[in-house]
Amino acid sequence: METWTKKSLAILIGILLIYAMCFLTYTLHEEKQFKHLENDLKRVYFTGTYQSNSDLIPKEFREGTVIDANQSSKVTLTGRFDQEIKESQSLLFRIPNIKVKIFKDENQIYSFGEPGTYPGFSKSPGNTWDIFISPGIKTSDEIRIVLENIYPNNVKTVYNLFIEQILSGDSGVLFHAIFPRVGLSVFLGGGIFLLGCLLLIILIFLRVMKTPFSRRPFYFAFLAIISGLWFFFDFKIISLIIPYNIFNNILSMICLSMVMPLFCMYILEFLSGKTRIPLIISVYIQIGFTVCYLICQGLGIYDGYDLLSPLLVIMGISIVIVFGCLVYETVFYKNSEAKFLLLVSSVLLLCGFDVVNYFTNYTPTYFMTKISYGLFMLIQFFYMLRCIQININDIKNARILEVELAQNRIAIAISQIQPHFLYNSLTAIKQLCVIDPVRAEQAVGEFAGFLRENLDSLTSSSLISFHKELNHIKNYLALEQLRFGSRLKVHYNIQTYDFELPSLTIQPIVENAVRYGVTKKAEGGTITISTKNGEDTIIITVSDDGAGFDMYHRKEDGRSHIGIENVRNRLQAQCNGDLTIKSELGKGTVVTILIHKR
């Protein structure tokens, strides 16, 4: 699994590098051809007068004039083109969601956006480039252009966007001329979309391989796919790539309305407790808005641009909620992941400049949004890859640990039920049969209980109750006391029984206290087993006043000494527990086990 992960990451990075190199090569080529293309693509200037339906007197219009009219006004321009447009020559019009009519000497020669020329559920025929085949226009012909805004909330500059971008030439030439200028959106959107798709493919493959994952990378993959599509749909060029204007409008609006809910759902995976509540409410509101938009669009009640302003308001409020939740989680819960996300997300505040541009009726370029969001997505993408790699490594380590646990359980049991132990125990029972038959009968029962508990522990992979572990320990110590008599004393200080722990956790520690502690002293000693409640943990202590050992000198006696290390690994893996040892030569050993209550 780890090898596959490294290979997949290498392939992914290779694809991205190839993609970047191809784009840079293409950009260099286009810049070299740019002057040639501009010679084939000429701007057609219009001079004359313009008048809105609220003006009483026409105003002069020439190159550089800014049309001063309300969004709800209809504007009529009367005048002439500065050059002759030959018959069958193509004119290219930039139409930003407006209706256009062009008259030559009072005869209509062009129309765009008239009802019946596009599906009725959309108010606008699109934000697009359109091609007009000229019937032949001379510089002496009087031209009248009628422009009508479709959306009241459209920017004021839509009329100037149209009149300043009347071009003669081919649409293919236009694409090559525009792409170097607006290629950032296409490149950034395509890159984010590609990263999202590749991440989703990796996650699906790992899920097929039955590798468990949290929902974080899935939410991020869908967020990358949706936001990448939205960036890709730059209306300065998209209609030259996908010539379906209403489809482009609706898909762009759907993507924009889904970016923030997916972003909030991704953020939710880093939050806990009550901090999640306001963000969950925000997600439901945003999803509800998207559903309402689709219904209204389908019925022809409202269009995407009609609902753009309230959508931006909802998105702005959601951003404030996101930052508020991340700050709260960082300050009050000391959540390091939330702190990291807060720092990375701070780059998204630059998007506010573009939102201000929209509401102040300037033409938004979304430049700051593209740069800040692209940086955020790139950082989060590599963060997700890192999380996936850590998750895979954890799973791999867990599987290795499971195998080791099974092997260690067998090794512990084999080391405990050694031939000399069985021989000594049975010899002691045999002697008791002669001098004390009643006690001998009791010893047989304790010996049988010890064997039974060991066999049960071999087959148990889950946590067991402390009661069961304690009974096992008592059976074991009773047998050892048969051997060592008064040299082995046991004291119990059990203050709490209400907890669980991995099987064979305390018994190996007690066995070490008997074998290497108490019985190594001629006069013997006492083993004390205690449990008590801590603030957040259960504290288990096994201490003895036996021989002790030098903690800084590893004993080389040919034994594997797997018992304590096995206990420590199982405690950490199964119940987030910990084990510490303190010992002093000649004074004894204290082993402390901490088991977290959660």
Side-chain angles (χ1 to χ4, degrees):
M1 183 68 73
E2 184 178 4
T3 303
W4 179 89
T5 304
K6 291 180 179 178
K7 289 182 179 179
S8 64
L9 291 177
I11 293 171
L12 180 58
I13 293 173
I15 291 173
L16 293 177
L17 289 175
I18 293 172
Y19 180 75
M21 290 175 64
C22 291
F23 176 75
L24 291 173
T25 303
Y26 179 75
T27 303
L28 182 62
H29 172 74
E30 293 304 315
E31 284 188 336
K32 289 181 179 178
Q33 302 296 323
F34 190 67
K35 291 185 179 180
H36 170 71
L37 293 175
E38 284 194 329
N39 292 332
D40 294 337
L41 193 68
K42 296 181 180 180
R43 178 180 170 186
V44 178
Y45 292 94
F46 183 88
T47 56
T49 62
Y50 78 92
Q51 183 177 12
S52 68
N53 54 7
S54 59
D55 294 332
L56 298 177
I57 301 174
K59 299 177 182 179
E60 183 181 10
F61 183 88
R62 62 178 61 187
E63 182 182 355
T65 300
V66 177
I67 297 175
D68 183 18
N70 296 326
Q71 291 99 317
S72 58
S73 299
K74 181 185 293 186
V75 174
T76 302
L77 296 102
T78 305
R80 293 173 174 80
F81 291 130
D82 70 329
Q83 57 188 272
E84 181 180 354
I85 313 298
K86 297 179 181 180
E87 186 176 355
S88 300
Q89 185 177 346
S90 296
L91 284 179
L92 304 170
F93 298 140
R94 175 76 168 88
I95 303 179
N97 290 309
I98 59 176
K99 295 178 182 179
V100 181
K101 291 181 181 179
I102 299 178
F103 298 85
K104 171 189 171 185
D105 296 329
E106 298 304 321
N107 297 317
Q108 182 172 316
I109 58 175
Y110 176 78
S111 175
F112 185 89
E114 287 298 308
T117 60
Y118 55 91
F121 57 78
S122 178
K123 289 185 177 181
S124 167
N127 188 346
T128 181
W129 283 96
D130 194 41
I131 302 175
F132 167 56
I133 305 300
S134 170
I137 302 174
K138 299 179 180 179
T139 55
S140 59
D141 293 334
E142 182 178 87
I143 301 297
R144 182 161 56 92
I145 303 174
V146 181
L147 306 177
E148 183 179 352
N149 200 353
I150 296 175
Y151 300 105
N153 61 339
N154 211 347
V155 293
K156 283 185 176 181
T157 53
V158 288
Y159 303 125
N160 289 91
L161 286 176
F162 172 82
I163 205 69
E164 291 175 359
Q165 297 188 66
I166 299 176
L167 306 171
S168 65
D170 183 75
S171 60
V173 175
L174 176 64
F175 175 84
H176 287 289
I178 292 177
F179 189 82
R181 302 174 184 177
V182 299
L184 174 64
S185 294
V186 177
F187 172 67
L188 185 62
I192 294 175
F193 178 80
L194 178 62
L195 290 176
C197 290
L198 290 173
L199 180 59
L200 187 60
I201 291 171
I202 291 173
L203 293 173
I204 292 174
F205 175 79
L206 292 174
R207 183 54 61 90
V208 171
M209 299 296 292
K210 297 184 178 179
T211 304
F213 281 101
S214 68
R215 289 172 291 188
R216 286 183 190 179
F218 285 100
Y219 285 147
F220 180 78
F222 287 118
L223 174 62
I225 291 171
I226 294 298
S227 57
L229 279 176
W230 181 69
F231 276 114
F232 184 80
F233 278 82
D234 190 315
F235 288 103
K236 298 181 185 69
I237 196 172
I238 191 63
S239 60
L240 299 175
I241 302 173
I242 305 175
Y244 298 98
N245 307 326
I246 298 176
F247 172 83
N248 293 340
N249 272 10
I250 294 176
L251 182 57
S252 175
M253 185 65 183
I254 291 174
C255 291
L256 179 60
S257 64
M258 286 304 299
V259 165
M260 188 53 65
L262 287 170
F263 177 72
C264 292
M265 292 168 73
Y266 174 63
I267 298 295
L268 274 172
E269 294 299 307
F270 294 85
L271 305 180
S272 59
K274 295 182 179 178
T275 315
R276 297 167 53 88
I277 295 176
L279 206 53
I280 292 174
I281 295 173
S282 173
V283 170
Y284 278 114
I285 291 174
Q286 293 172 74
I287 293 176
F289 179 89
T290 304
V291 172
C292 289
Y293 156 66
L294 292 173
I295 294 174
C296 292
Q297 178 77 72
L299 296 176
I301 301 173
Y302 287 108
D303 213 337
Y305 277 85
D306 289 327
L307 301 174
L308 187 57
S309 295
L311 174 61
L312 291 178
V313 171
I314 293 174
M315 292 176 70
I317 295 173
S318 299
I319 283 286
V320 173
I321 294 173
V322 165
F323 277 92
C325 292
L326 288 175
V327 169
Y328 187 89
E329 191 84 8
T330 301
V331 173
F332 293 98
Y333 290 99
K334 307 300 181 184
N335 188 331
S336 59
E337 287 187 318
K339 182 179 180 181
F340 165 76
L341 199 59
L342 178 63
L343 293 175
V344 177
S345 301
S346 60
V347 299
L348 296 178
L349 295 176
L350 297 175
C351 301
F353 290 101
D354 291 322
V355 175
V356 171
N357 283 339
Y358 171 80
F359 283 105
T360 54
N361 288 321
Y362 288 99
T363 304
T365 61
Y366 299 112
F367 177 77
M368 298 302 295
T369 299
K370 295 167 185 175
I371 294 298
S372 59
Y373 192 79
L375 181 61
F376 169 81
M377 292 298 289
L378 187 63
I379 295 173
Q380 289 300 307
F381 177 76
F382 284 106
Y383 176 71
M384 281 295 103
L385 287 182
R386 177 61 178 163
C387 290
I388 291 173
Q389 184 180 18
I390 292 173
N391 195 11
I392 291 174
N393 290 337
D394 289 343
I395 294 169
K396 178 183 176 182
N397 292 335
R399 290 175 179 172
I400 293 174
L401 185 59
E402 286 177 3
V403 175
E404 290 179 349
L405 288 179
Q407 293 173 344
N408 288 341
R409 282 198 181 98
I410 296 172
I412 289 171
I414 292 174
S415 68
Q416 289 169 347
I417 310 175
Q418 293 177 356
H420 76 270
F421 174 78
L422 294 173
Y423 175 81
N424 291 338
S425 298
L426 292 173
T427 300
I429 293 172
K430 176 182 177 182
Q431 293 171 352
L432 286 175
C433 289
V434 177
I435 61 175
D436 193 346
V438 175
R439 191 177 174 191
E441 182 182 2
Q442 179 185 356
V444 171
E446 291 168 342
F447 185 71
F450 173 79
L451 293 177
R452 182 174 59 252
E453 291 293 336
N454 267 278
L455 293 175
D456 289 344
S457 297
L458 280 175
T459 59
S460 176
S461 59
S462 59
L463 301 179
I464 63 171
S465 68
F466 175 67
H467 279 284
K468 187 173 182 180
E469 181 78 355
L470 185 61
N471 289 335
H472 182 188
I473 294 167
K474 288 180 177 179
N475 286 331
Y476 166 76
L477 286 173
L479 290 171
E480 292 288 15
Q481 284 176 321
L482 288 177
R483 293 176 57 194
F484 300 109
S486 61
R487 290 178 59 203
L488 176 59
K489 302 178 185 65
V490 181
H491 175 66
Y492 296 95
N493 181 20
I494 309 301
Q495 299 180 21
T496 179
Y497 291 85
D498 189 18
F499 63 95
E500 293 183 331
L501 73 171
S503 61
L504 294 176
T505 296
I506 304 176
Q507 196 276 336
I509 298 170
V510 172
E511 181 181 353
N512 282 347
V514 173
R515 290 186 177 184
Y516 308 115
V518 172
T519 59
K520 291 297 182 182
K521 295 176 70 174
E523 67 276 16
T526 302
I527 296 175
T528 302
I529 302 171
S530 65
T531 63
K532 64 179 180 179
N533 271 306
E535 184 176 352
D536 296 317
T537 58
I538 301 294
I539 303 172
I540 307 168
T541 304
V542 179
S543 61
D544 67 79
D545 54 1
F549 64 93
D550 186 355
M551 295 182 62
Y552 303 101
H553 176 69
R554 181 178 178 86
K555 189 175 182 180
E556 299 294 339
D557 56 0
R559 297 178 180 270
S560 59
H561 299 287
I562 62 173
I564 298 300
E565 194 60 34
N566 174 55
V567 170
R568 180 181 282 111
N569 290 338
R570 288 187 294 132
L571 279 169
Q572 186 176 9
Q574 291 185 262
C575 56
N576 195 25
D578 194 16
L579 183 149
T580 58
I581 301 175
K582 292 183 180 180
S583 185
E584 188 174 349
L585 199 62
K587 293 187 177 181
T589 303
V590 178
V591 179
T592 303
I593 296 173
L594 299 179
I595 296 178
H596 291 273
K597 293 180 180 180
R598 289 184 297 177

